Coordinates of all heavy atoms in Angstrom, one line a residue:
M1 N 26.0 3.4 1.6 CA 27.4 3.6 1.1 C 28.1 4.7 1.9 O 29.3 4.6 2.0 CB 27.3 4.2 -0.4 CG 27.0 3.0 -1.3 SD 27.0 3.5 -3.1 CE 28.8 3.7 -3.3
I2 N 27.4 5.7 2.5 CA 28.0 6.7 3.2 C 28.7 6.1 4.4 O 29.9 6.4 4.7 CB 26.9 7.8 3.7 CG1 26.3 8.4 2.5 CG2 27.5 8.8 4.6 CD1 27.2 9.2 1.6
V3 N 28.1 5.2 5.1 CA 28.6 4.6 6.4 C 29.8 3.8 6.0 O 30.8 3.7 6.7 CB 27.5 3.9 7.0 CG1 28.1 3.1 8.2 CG2 26.4 4.7 7.5
V4 N 29.7 3.0 4.9 CA 30.8 2.2 4.5 C 32.1 3.1 4.1 O 33.2 2.8 4.5 CB 30.4 1.4 3.2 CG1 31.6 0.7 2.6 CG2 29.5 0.3 3.6
L5 N 32.0 4.3 3.4 CA 32.9 5.1 3.1 C 33.5 5.7 4.3 O 34.8 5.9 4.5 CB 32.4 6.2 2.2 CG 32.2 5.8 0.7 CD1 31.5 6.9 -0.1 CD2 33.6 5.5 0.0
M6 N 32.7 6.1 5.3 CA 33.2 6.7 6.6 C 34.1 5.7 7.3 O 35.2 6.0 7.7 CB 32.0 7.0 7.4 CG 31.3 8.2 6.9 SD 29.7 8.7 8.0 CE 30.5 9.2 9.4
H7 N 33.7 4.4 7.3 CA 34.4 3.4 8.1 C 35.6 3.0 7.3 O 36.8 3.0 7.8 CB 33.6 2.2 8.2 CG 34.1 1.1 8.9 ND1 34.5 1.0 10.4 CD2 34.7 -0.1 8.5 CE1 35.2 0.1 10.6 NE2 35.3 -0.7 9.5
E8 N 35.6 2.7 6.0 CA 36.6 2.1 5.2 C 37.7 3.2 4.8 O 38.9 2.9 4.7 CB 36.1 1.5 3.9 CG 35.3 0.3 4.2 CD 36.2 -0.8 4.7 OE1 37.4 -1.1 4.4 OE2 35.6 -1.5 5.7
Q9 N 37.2 4.5 4.6 CA 38.2 5.5 4.2 C 38.5 6.4 5.3 O 39.3 7.4 5.2 CB 37.5 6.3 3.0 CG 37.2 5.6 1.7 CD 38.3 5.1 1.0 OE1 39.4 5.8 1.0 NE2 38.3 4.0 0.4
G10 N 37.9 6.3 6.5 CA 38.2 7.1 7.7 C 37.7 8.6 7.5 O 38.3 9.5 8.0
L11 N 36.6 8.6 6.8 CA 36.1 10.0 6.5 C 35.0 10.5 7.6 O 34.2 9.7 8.0 CB 35.4 10.0 5.0 CG 36.3 9.6 4.0 CD1 35.6 9.4 2.6 CD2 37.5 10.6 3.8
D12 N 34.8 11.8 7.7 CA 33.6 12.3 8.4 C 32.4 12.3 7.5 O 32.5 11.9 6.3 CB 33.9 13.5 8.9 CG 34.1 14.7 8.0 OD1 33.7 14.6 6.8 OD2 34.8 15.7 8.4
L13 N 31.2 12.6 8.0 CA 30.0 12.4 7.3 C 30.1 13.3 6.0 O 29.9 12.8 4.8 CB 28.8 12.9 8.1 CG 27.5 12.9 7.5 CD1 27.2 11.5 7.1 CD2 26.4 13.5 8.5
Q14 N 30.4 14.6 6.1 CA 30.4 15.4 4.9 C 31.4 15.0 3.9 O 31.1 15.0 2.6 CB 30.6 16.9 5.4 CG 30.4 17.9 4.1 CD 28.9 17.7 3.5 OE1 28.0 17.9 4.2 NE2 28.9 17.5 2.3
S15 N 32.6 14.5 4.3 CA 33.7 14.1 3.4 C 33.2 12.9 2.7 O 33.5 12.7 1.5 CB 34.9 13.8 4.2 OG 35.4 15.0 4.7
A16 N 32.5 11.9 3.4 CA 32.0 10.8 2.7 C 30.9 11.2 1.7 O 30.9 10.5 0.6 CB 31.3 9.7 3.8
I17 N 30.0 12.0 2.1 CA 29.0 12.6 1.0 C 29.7 13.2 -0.2 O 29.2 12.9 -1.3 CB 28.0 13.5 1.7 CG1 27.2 12.7 2.8 CG2 27.2 14.2 0.6 CD1 26.4 13.5 3.7
D18 N 30.7 14.0 0.1 CA 31.4 14.7 -1.1 C 32.1 13.6 -1.9 O 32.1 13.8 -3.1 CB 32.4 15.7 -0.5 CG 31.7 16.8 0.2 OD1 30.5 17.1 0.0 OD2 32.4 17.6 1.0
Y19 N 32.7 12.6 -1.3 CA 33.4 11.6 -2.0 C 32.4 10.8 -3.0 O 32.6 10.5 -4.1 CB 34.1 10.6 -1.0 CG 34.9 9.5 -1.6 CD1 36.2 9.7 -1.9 CD2 34.4 8.2 -1.9 CE1 37.0 8.7 -2.3 CE2 35.2 7.2 -2.5 CZ 36.5 7.5 -2.8 OH 37.3 6.5 -3.3
L20 N 31.3 10.4 -2.3 CA 30.3 9.7 -3.0 C 29.7 10.5 -4.3 O 29.5 10.0 -5.3 CB 29.1 9.2 -2.2 CG 28.1 8.4 -2.8 CD1 28.6 7.2 -3.4 CD2 27.0 8.1 -1.8
G21 N 29.5 11.8 -4.1 CA 29.2 12.7 -5.1 C 30.1 12.7 -6.2 O 29.8 12.7 -7.5
R22 N 31.4 12.7 -5.9 CA 32.5 12.8 -7.0 C 32.4 11.3 -7.8 O 32.5 11.3 -9.0 CB 33.8 12.9 -6.3 CG 34.1 14.4 -6.0 CD 35.5 14.6 -5.5 NE 36.0 13.8 -4.6 CZ 35.9 14.1 -3.2 NH1 35.4 15.2 -2.8 NH2 36.4 13.3 -2.3
L23 N 32.2 10.3 -7.0 CA 32.0 9.0 -7.7 C 30.8 9.0 -8.6 O 31.0 8.3 -9.7 CB 31.8 7.9 -6.6 CG 33.0 7.4 -5.8 CD1 32.7 6.4 -4.7 CD2 34.2 7.0 -6.7
C24 N 29.7 9.5 -8.1 CA 28.5 9.5 -9.0 C 28.8 10.4 -10.2 O 28.3 10.0 -11.4 CB 27.3 10.0 -8.2 SG 26.7 8.8 -7.0
R25 N 29.3 11.6 -10.0 CA 29.6 12.5 -11.2 C 30.4 11.8 -12.2 O 30.3 11.8 -13.5 CB 30.1 13.8 -10.7 CG 29.1 14.7 -10.2 CD 29.6 16.1 -10.1 NE 30.7 16.2 -9.0 CZ 30.5 16.3 -7.7 NH1 29.3 16.3 -7.2 NH2 31.6 16.3 -6.9
G26 N 31.6 11.1 -11.7 CA 32.4 10.4 -12.5 C 31.7 9.3 -13.3 O 32.0 9.1 -14.5
S27 N 30.8 8.6 -12.7 CA 30.1 7.5 -13.3 C 29.3 8.1 -14.5 O 29.2 7.6 -15.6 CB 29.3 6.8 -12.3 OG 28.5 5.7 -12.9
V28 N 28.6 9.2 -14.2 CA 27.8 9.8 -15.3 C 28.6 10.2 -16.4 O 28.2 10.1 -17.5 CB 26.8 10.9 -14.6 CG1 26.1 11.7 -15.7 CG2 25.7 10.2 -13.7
Q29 N 29.7 10.9 -16.0 CA 30.6 11.4 -17.1 C 31.1 10.3 -18.0 O 31.2 10.4 -19.2 CB 31.8 12.2 -16.5 CG 32.6 12.9 -17.4 CD 31.8 13.9 -18.2 OE1 31.2 14.8 -17.7 NE2 31.8 13.8 -19.5
R30 N 31.5 9.1 -17.4 CA 32.0 8.0 -18.1 C 30.9 7.5 -19.1 O 31.2 7.1 -20.2 CB 32.4 6.9 -17.3 CG 33.8 7.0 -16.7 CD 34.4 5.8 -15.9 NE 33.5 5.3 -14.9 CZ 33.4 5.8 -13.8 NH1 34.1 6.9 -13.4 NH2 32.7 5.2 -12.9
F31 N 29.6 7.4 -18.5 CA 28.5 7.1 -19.5 C 28.5 8.0 -20.6 O 28.3 7.5 -21.9 CB 27.3 7.0 -18.6 CG 26.0 6.6 -19.5 CD1 25.7 5.4 -19.5 CD2 25.3 7.6 -20.1 CE1 24.4 5.0 -20.2 CE2 24.1 7.4 -20.9 CZ 23.8 6.0 -20.9
E32 N 28.4 9.3 -20.4 CA 28.3 10.2 -21.5 C 29.5 10.1 -22.4 O 29.4 10.2 -23.6 CB 28.2 11.6 -21.0 CG 27.0 11.8 -20.2 CD 25.7 11.8 -21.1 OE1 25.8 12.0 -22.3 OE2 24.6 11.4 -20.5
D33 N 30.7 10.0 -21.9 CA 32.0 9.9 -22.8 C 31.9 8.6 -23.7 O 32.2 8.7 -24.8 CB 33.1 9.8 -21.9 CG 33.4 11.1 -21.2 OD1 32.9 12.1 -21.5 OD2 34.4 11.1 -20.2
N34 N 31.4 7.6 -23.1 CA 31.4 6.3 -23.9 C 30.3 6.3 -25.0 O 30.4 5.8 -25.9 CB 31.2 5.1 -22.9 CG 32.4 4.7 -22.3 OD1 33.6 4.8 -22.8 ND2 32.4 4.4 -20.9
R35 N 29.1 6.9 -24.5 CA 28.1 7.1 -25.5 C 28.5 8.1 -26.7 O 28.1 7.6 -27.9 CB 26.9 7.8 -24.8 CG 25.7 7.9 -25.8 CD 24.4 8.4 -25.2 NE 24.6 9.7 -24.6 CZ 23.4 10.3 -24.2 NH1 22.2 9.8 -24.2 NH2 23.6 11.6 -23.8
A36 N 29.4 8.9 -26.4 CA 29.8 9.8 -27.5 C 30.8 9.1 -28.4 O 30.9 9.5 -29.6 CB 30.5 11.0 -27.0
I37 N 31.4 8.0 -28.0 CA 32.4 7.3 -28.9 C 31.8 6.0 -29.4 O 32.8 5.2 -30.0 CB 33.7 7.2 -28.2 CG1 33.7 6.3 -27.0 CG2 34.4 8.6 -28.0 CD1 35.0 6.0 -26.3
L38 N 30.6 5.7 -29.4 CA 30.1 4.5 -29.8 C 30.4 4.3 -31.3 O 30.1 5.3 -32.1 CB 28.6 4.4 -29.6 CG 28.1 4.0 -28.3 CD1 26.6 4.1 -28.1 CD2 28.5 2.6 -27.8
P39 N 30.8 3.2 -31.8 CA 31.0 3.0 -33.1 C 29.7 2.9 -33.9 O 28.7 2.7 -33.3 CB 31.9 1.8 -33.3 CG 31.5 1.0 -32.1 CD 31.2 2.0 -31.0
S40 N 29.7 2.9 -35.2 CA 28.6 2.6 -36.0 C 28.7 1.3 -36.6 O 29.7 0.7 -37.0 CB 28.6 3.7 -37.3 OG 27.5 3.3 -38.0
W41 N 27.4 0.5 -36.5 CA 27.3 -0.7 -37.0 C 26.3 -0.8 -38.2 O 25.7 -1.8 -38.5 CB 26.8 -1.7 -35.9 CG 27.8 -1.9 -34.8 CD1 28.8 -2.7 -34.8 CD2 27.8 -1.2 -33.5 NE1 29.6 -2.6 -33.6 CE2 28.9 -1.7 -32.8 CE3 27.0 -0.3 -33.0 CZ2 29.2 -1.2 -31.5 CZ3 27.3 0.1 -31.6 CH2 28.5 -0.3 -30.9
G42 N 26.0 0.3 -38.7 CA 24.9 0.4 -39.7 C 23.7 1.0 -39.2 O 23.5 1.1 -38.0
E43 N 22.9 1.5 -40.1 CA 21.7 2.4 -39.7 C 20.8 1.6 -38.8 O 20.4 2.2 -37.8 CB 21.0 2.8 -41.0 CG 19.9 3.8 -40.8 CD 19.3 4.2 -42.1 OE1 20.0 4.5 -43.0 OE2 18.0 4.5 -42.0
E44 N 20.4 0.5 -39.1 CA 19.4 -0.3 -38.3 C 20.0 -0.6 -36.9 O 19.4 -0.4 -35.9 CB 18.9 -1.6 -39.1 CG 17.9 -2.4 -38.3 CD 16.6 -1.7 -37.8 OE1 16.3 -0.6 -38.4 OE2 16.1 -2.0 -36.7
L45 N 21.2 -1.2 -36.9 CA 21.8 -1.5 -35.6 C 22.0 -0.4 -34.8 O 21.8 -0.3 -33.5 CB 22.9 -2.3 -35.8 CG 23.5 -3.2 -34.6 CD1 22.4 -4.0 -33.9 CD2 24.6 -4.1 -34.9
D46 N 22.5 0.8 -35.3 CA 22.7 2.0 -34.7 C 21.4 2.5 -34.1 O 21.4 3.1 -32.9 CB 23.2 3.1 -35.6 CG 24.7 2.8 -36.0 OD1 25.3 1.9 -35.5 OD2 25.2 3.6 -36.9
R47 N 20.3 2.4 -34.8 CA 19.0 2.8 -34.2 C 18.7 2.0 -33.0 O 18.2 2.5 -32.0 CB 17.9 2.7 -35.3 CG 16.6 3.3 -34.8 CD 15.5 3.0 -35.9 NE 15.2 1.6 -36.0 CZ 14.5 0.8 -35.2 NH1 14.0 1.4 -34.1 NH2 14.3 -0.4 -35.4
Q48 N 18.8 0.6 -33.0 CA 18.6 -0.2 -31.9 C 19.6 0.1 -30.7 O 19.0 0.0 -29.6 CB 18.7 -1.6 -32.3 CG 17.7 -2.1 -33.3 CD 17.9 -3.6 -33.9 OE1 18.5 -4.3 -33.2 NE2 17.3 -3.8 -34.9
V49 N 20.7 0.4 -31.0 CA 21.7 0.8 -29.9 C 21.3 2.1 -29.2 O 21.3 2.2 -28.1 CB 23.2 0.8 -30.4 CG1 24.1 1.3 -29.4 CG2 23.7 -0.6 -30.8
A50 N 20.9 3.0 -30.1 CA 20.4 4.3 -29.5 C 19.3 4.2 -28.6 O 19.1 4.8 -27.6 CB 20.2 5.3 -30.7
I51 N 18.3 3.2 -29.0 CA 17.2 3.1 -28.2 C 17.6 2.4 -26.8 O 17.1 2.7 -25.8 CB 16.2 2.1 -28.9 CG1 15.5 3.0 -30.0 CG2 15.0 1.6 -27.9 CD1 14.7 2.1 -31.0
Y52 N 18.5 1.4 -26.9 CA 19.0 0.7 -25.8 C 19.7 1.7 -24.8 O 19.4 1.7 -23.7 CB 19.9 -0.5 -26.1 CG 20.6 -1.2 -25.0 CD1 19.8 -2.1 -24.2 CD2 21.9 -1.0 -24.6 CE1 20.3 -2.7 -23.1 CE2 22.4 -1.6 -23.5 CZ 21.6 -2.5 -22.8 OH 22.2 -3.1 -21.7
V53 N 20.6 2.5 -25.4 CA 21.3 3.5 -24.5 C 20.4 4.5 -23.9 O 20.6 4.8 -22.8 CB 22.5 4.1 -25.5 CG1 23.1 5.2 -24.6 CG2 23.5 3.1 -25.8
E54 N 19.4 4.9 -24.7 CA 18.4 5.8 -24.1 C 17.7 5.1 -22.9 O 17.4 5.8 -21.9 CB 17.5 6.3 -25.1 CG 16.5 7.4 -24.6 CD 15.6 7.9 -25.7 OE1 15.9 7.9 -26.9 OE2 14.4 8.4 -25.4
G55 N 17.4 3.8 -23.1 CA 16.8 3.1 -22.0 C 17.7 3.2 -20.8 O 17.2 3.2 -19.6
L56 N 18.9 2.8 -20.9 CA 19.9 2.9 -19.8 C 19.8 4.3 -19.2 O 19.8 4.4 -17.9 CB 21.4 2.6 -20.3 CG 21.6 1.2 -20.8 CD1 23.0 1.0 -21.3 CD2 21.4 0.2 -19.6
Q57 N 19.9 5.3 -20.0 CA 19.8 6.7 -19.3 C 18.6 6.9 -18.6 O 18.6 7.4 -17.5 CB 20.0 7.7 -20.6 CG 20.1 9.0 -20.1 CD 20.2 10.0 -21.2 OE1 20.5 9.5 -22.4 NE2 20.0 11.3 -21.0
D58 N 17.5 6.4 -19.1 CA 16.1 6.6 -18.4 C 16.2 5.9 -17.2 O 15.6 6.2 -16.2 CB 15.0 6.3 -19.3 CG 14.8 7.1 -20.5 OD1 15.3 8.3 -20.5 OD2 14.0 6.6 -21.4
W59 N 16.8 4.6 -17.1 CA 16.8 3.8 -16.0 C 17.6 4.4 -14.9 O 17.2 4.5 -13.7 CB 17.4 2.4 -16.2 CG 17.7 1.5 -15.2 CD1 16.9 1.2 -14.2 CD2 18.8 0.7 -15.0 NE1 17.5 0.3 -13.3 CE2 18.6 0.0 -13.8 CE3 20.1 0.6 -15.7 CZ2 19.7 -0.9 -13.4 CZ3 21.0 -0.3 -15.3 CH2 20.8 -1.0 -14.1
I60 N 18.7 5.1 -15.2 CA 19.6 5.7 -14.2 C 18.8 6.9 -13.5 O 18.8 7.0 -12.4 CB 20.9 6.3 -14.9 CG1 21.7 5.1 -15.3 CG2 21.5 7.2 -14.0 CD1 22.8 5.5 -16.3
I61 N 18.2 7.8 -14.4 CA 17.5 8.9 -13.9 C 16.3 8.6 -13.1 O 15.9 9.2 -12.1 CB 17.2 10.1 -14.9 CG1 17.0 11.4 -14.4 CG2 16.2 9.6 -15.9 CD1 18.1 12.0 -13.5
S62 N 15.5 7.6 -13.6 CA 14.3 7.2 -12.9 C 14.5 6.7 -11.5 O 13.8 6.9 -10.6 CB 13.5 6.1 -13.8 OG 14.2 4.9 -13.9
S63 N 15.7 6.0 -11.4 CA 16.1 5.6 -10.0 C 16.3 6.6 -9.1 O 15.9 6.6 -7.9 CB 17.3 4.7 -10.2 OG 17.9 4.3 -8.9
L64 N 16.9 7.7 -9.6 CA 17.2 8.9 -8.7 C 15.8 9.5 -8.4 O 15.6 9.9 -7.3 CB 18.1 9.8 -9.4 CG 19.5 9.4 -9.6 CD1 20.2 10.4 -10.6 CD2 20.2 9.2 -8.3
H65 N 14.9 9.7 -9.4 CA 13.6 10.3 -9.1 C 12.8 9.4 -8.1 O 12.2 10.0 -7.3 CB 12.9 10.5 -10.4 CG 13.3 11.6 -11.3 ND1 13.4 12.9 -10.9 CD2 13.9 11.6 -12.4 CE1 13.9 13.7 -11.8 NE2 14.1 12.9 -12.9
W66 N 12.9 8.1 -8.3 CA 12.1 7.2 -7.4 C 12.6 7.5 -6.0 O 11.8 7.5 -5.0 CB 12.3 5.8 -7.7 CG 11.7 4.8 -6.9 CD1 10.3 4.5 -6.8 CD2 12.2 4.2 -5.7 NE1 10.1 3.7 -5.8 CE2 11.2 3.4 -5.1 CE3 13.5 4.3 -5.1 CZ2 11.5 2.6 -3.9 CZ3 13.8 3.6 -4.0 CH2 12.7 2.7 -3.4
S67 N 13.9 7.7 -5.8 CA 14.5 7.9 -4.4 C 13.7 9.1 -3.7 O 13.5 9.0 -2.5 CB 15.9 8.2 -4.4 OG 16.6 7.0 -4.9
F68 N 13.4 10.0 -4.5 CA 12.8 11.2 -3.8 C 11.2 11.1 -3.8 O 10.6 11.6 -2.8 CB 13.1 12.4 -4.7 CG 14.6 12.9 -4.5 CD1 15.4 12.6 -5.5 CD2 15.1 13.4 -3.4 CE1 16.8 12.9 -5.5 CE2 16.4 13.8 -3.2 CZ 17.3 13.5 -4.2
D69 N 10.7 10.4 -4.9 CA 9.2 10.3 -5.0 C 8.6 9.3 -4.1 O 7.5 9.4 -3.6 CB 8.8 10.0 -6.5 CG 9.1 11.1 -7.3 OD1 9.3 12.3 -6.8 OD2 9.1 11.0 -8.6
S70 N 9.4 8.3 -3.7 CA 8.9 7.2 -2.7 C 9.1 7.7 -1.3 O 9.7 8.8 -1.1 CB 9.7 5.9 -2.9 OG 11.0 5.9 -2.4
T71 N 8.7 7.1 -0.3 CA 8.9 7.4 1.0 C 10.0 6.7 1.7 O 10.3 6.9 2.8 CB 7.6 7.2 1.9 OG1 7.1 5.8 1.8 CG2 6.5 8.2 1.4
R72 N 10.7 5.8 0.9 CA 11.7 4.9 1.5 C 12.9 5.7 2.2 O 13.3 5.3 3.2 CB 12.2 4.0 0.3 CG 13.3 3.2 0.8 CD 13.8 2.2 -0.2 NE 14.8 1.2 0.5 CZ 15.0 0.0 0.1 NH1 14.5 -0.4 -1.0 NH2 16.0 -0.6 0.6
Y73 N 13.4 6.7 1.4 CA 14.6 7.3 2.0 C 14.3 8.7 2.8 O 15.0 9.0 3.7 CB 15.6 7.7 0.9 CG 16.1 6.4 0.2 CD1 15.6 6.2 -1.1 CD2 17.0 5.5 0.9 CE1 16.1 5.0 -1.6 CE2 17.3 4.3 0.3 CZ 16.9 4.1 -0.9 OH 17.3 2.9 -1.6
F74 N 13.2 9.5 2.4 CA 13.0 10.7 3.0 C 11.6 10.9 3.5 O 11.2 12.0 3.8 CB 13.3 11.8 1.9 CG 14.6 11.7 1.2 CD1 14.8 11.3 -0.1 CD2 15.8 11.9 1.8 CE1 16.0 11.1 -0.7 CE2 17.1 11.8 1.3 CZ 17.2 11.5 0.0
G75 N 11.0 9.8 3.7 CA 9.6 9.9 4.2 C 8.7 10.7 3.2 O 8.8 10.7 2.0
K76 N 7.9 11.6 3.8 CA 6.9 12.4 3.0 C 7.7 13.7 2.5 O 7.0 14.4 1.8 CB 5.7 12.7 3.7 CG 4.9 11.5 4.2 CD 3.8 11.8 5.1 CE 3.0 10.6 5.4 NZ 1.9 10.9 6.4
D77 N 8.9 13.9 2.8 CA 9.6 15.1 2.6 C 10.5 15.0 1.3 O 11.3 15.9 1.1 CB 10.5 15.6 3.7 CG 9.5 15.9 4.9 OD1 8.4 16.3 4.7 OD2 10.1 15.8 6.0
G78 N 10.5 13.9 0.6 CA 11.3 13.7 -0.6 C 11.3 15.0 -1.6 O 12.4 15.3 -2.0
H79 N 10.1 15.5 -1.8 CA 10.0 16.6 -2.7 C 10.7 17.8 -2.2 O 11.4 18.6 -2.9 CB 8.6 17.0 -3.1 CG 7.9 17.5 -1.9 ND1 7.4 16.6 -0.9 CD2 7.4 18.7 -1.6 CE1 6.8 17.4 0.0 NE2 6.8 18.6 -0.5
I80 N 10.8 18.1 -0.9 CA 11.5 19.1 -0.2 C 13.0 18.9 -0.4 O 13.8 19.8 -0.5 CB 10.9 19.3 1.2 CG1 9.5 19.7 1.1 CG2 11.8 20.4 1.9 CD1 8.8 19.7 2.6
V81 N 13.4 17.6 0.0 CA 14.8 17.3 -0.1 C 15.3 17.5 -1.4 O 16.4 18.1 -1.8 CB 15.0 15.8 0.4 CG1 16.5 15.5 0.2 CG2 14.8 15.8 2.0
K82 N 14.5 17.1 -2.4 CA 14.9 17.3 -3.9 C 15.0 18.7 -4.2 O 16.1 19.0 -4.9 CB 14.0 16.5 -4.8 CG 14.4 16.4 -6.1 CD 13.2 15.7 -6.9 CE 13.5 15.5 -8.4 NZ 12.5 14.6 -9.1
R83 N 14.2 19.6 -3.7 CA 14.2 21.0 -4.1 C 15.4 21.7 -3.4 O 16.2 22.4 -3.9 CB 12.9 21.6 -3.7 CG 12.9 23.0 -4.1 CD 11.6 23.7 -3.4 NE 11.8 23.7 -1.9 CZ 10.8 23.6 -1.1 NH1 9.6 23.5 -1.5 NH2 11.0 23.6 0.2
D84 N 15.5 21.4 -2.1 CA 16.5 22.2 -1.2 C 17.8 21.5 -1.0 O 18.8 22.2 -0.6 CB 15.9 22.3 0.2 CG 14.6 23.2 0.2 OD1 14.3 23.9 -0.9 OD2 13.8 23.1 1.2
R85 N 17.9 20.2 -1.4 CA 19.2 19.4 -1.2 C 19.7 19.5 0.2 O 20.9 19.5 0.5 CB 20.3 19.8 -2.2 CG 19.7 19.7 -3.7 CD 20.8 20.1 -4.5 NE 20.3 20.0 -6.0 CZ 21.1 19.9 -7.0 NH1 22.4 20.1 -6.9 NH2 20.7 19.8 -8.1
I86 N 18.8 19.4 1.2 CA 19.2 19.4 2.6 C 18.5 18.1 3.2 O 17.2 18.0 3.1 CB 18.7 20.7 3.3 CG1 19.4 21.8 2.8 CG2 18.9 20.6 4.8 CD1 19.1 23.2 3.2
I87 N 19.2 17.3 4.0 CA 18.7 16.2 4.5 C 18.8 16.3 6.0 O 19.9 16.6 6.5 CB 19.5 15.0 4.2 CG1 19.3 14.7 2.6 CG2 18.9 13.6 4.8 CD1 20.2 13.7 2.1
T88 N 17.7 16.2 6.8 CA 17.7 16.1 8.3 C 18.0 14.8 8.7 O 17.2 13.7 8.4 CB 16.3 16.6 8.8 OG1 16.2 17.9 8.3 CG2 16.5 16.7 10.3
L89 N 19.0 14.5 9.4 CA 19.5 13.1 9.8 C 18.9 12.8 11.1 O 18.6 13.7 11.9 CB 20.9 13.0 9.9 CG 21.7 13.3 8.6 CD1 23.2 13.2 8.9 CD2 21.4 12.2 7.5
I90 N 18.5 11.5 11.4 CA 17.9 11.1 12.7 C 19.2 11.0 13.6 O 20.2 10.8 13.2 CB 17.1 9.9 12.6 CG1 18.1 8.8 12.0 CG2 15.9 10.1 11.8 CD1 17.3 7.4 12.0
P91 N 18.9 11.2 15.0 CA 20.1 11.0 15.8 C 20.6 9.6 15.8 O 20.0 8.6 15.5 CB 19.4 11.3 17.2 CG 18.1 11.9 16.9 CD 17.7 11.5 15.5
K92 N 21.9 9.6 15.9 CA 22.7 8.3 15.9 C 22.2 7.4 17.1 O 22.1 8.0 18.1 CB 24.1 8.6 16.0 CG 25.0 7.3 15.8 CD 26.5 7.7 15.7 CE 27.3 6.5 15.5 NZ 28.7 6.8 15.3
R93 N 21.9 6.1 16.8 CA 21.5 5.3 17.9 C 22.6 4.4 18.4 O 23.6 4.2 17.6 CB 20.4 4.3 17.3 CG 19.2 5.0 17.0 CD 18.2 3.9 16.3 NE 18.5 3.7 15.0 CZ 18.0 2.8 14.2 NH1 17.0 2.0 14.6 NH2 18.4 2.7 12.9
P94 N 22.6 4.2 19.7 CA 23.7 3.5 20.2 C 23.8 2.0 19.7 O 22.6 1.5 19.5 CB 23.5 3.5 21.8 CG 22.1 3.9 21.9 CD 21.6 4.6 20.7
L95 N 24.9 1.5 19.5 CA 24.9 0.1 19.1 C 24.6 -0.9 20.2 O 24.8 -0.8 21.2 CB 26.3 -0.2 18.5 CG 26.7 0.6 17.4 CD1 28.2 0.3 16.9 CD2 25.8 0.3 16.1

């Protein structure tokens, strides 16, 4: 997404990261806002909806944790990146 934002929006690296951060925060905020205004459908259905919404919340956060716990994005340093929030980029390769 960072590369796409850089290209499509004409952003430098840090600006694209900041932009994506705002998009992610906005998405989480919309989730929370919508959860707060869910109507009631009765006790039993409300309980089922609450379980479903909690599952959505768990899915969102587990995806983030997986990004750091697996080696896919940060190699063996995922726990360090998660703690320090600093990513060492590899040099840009020529096309």
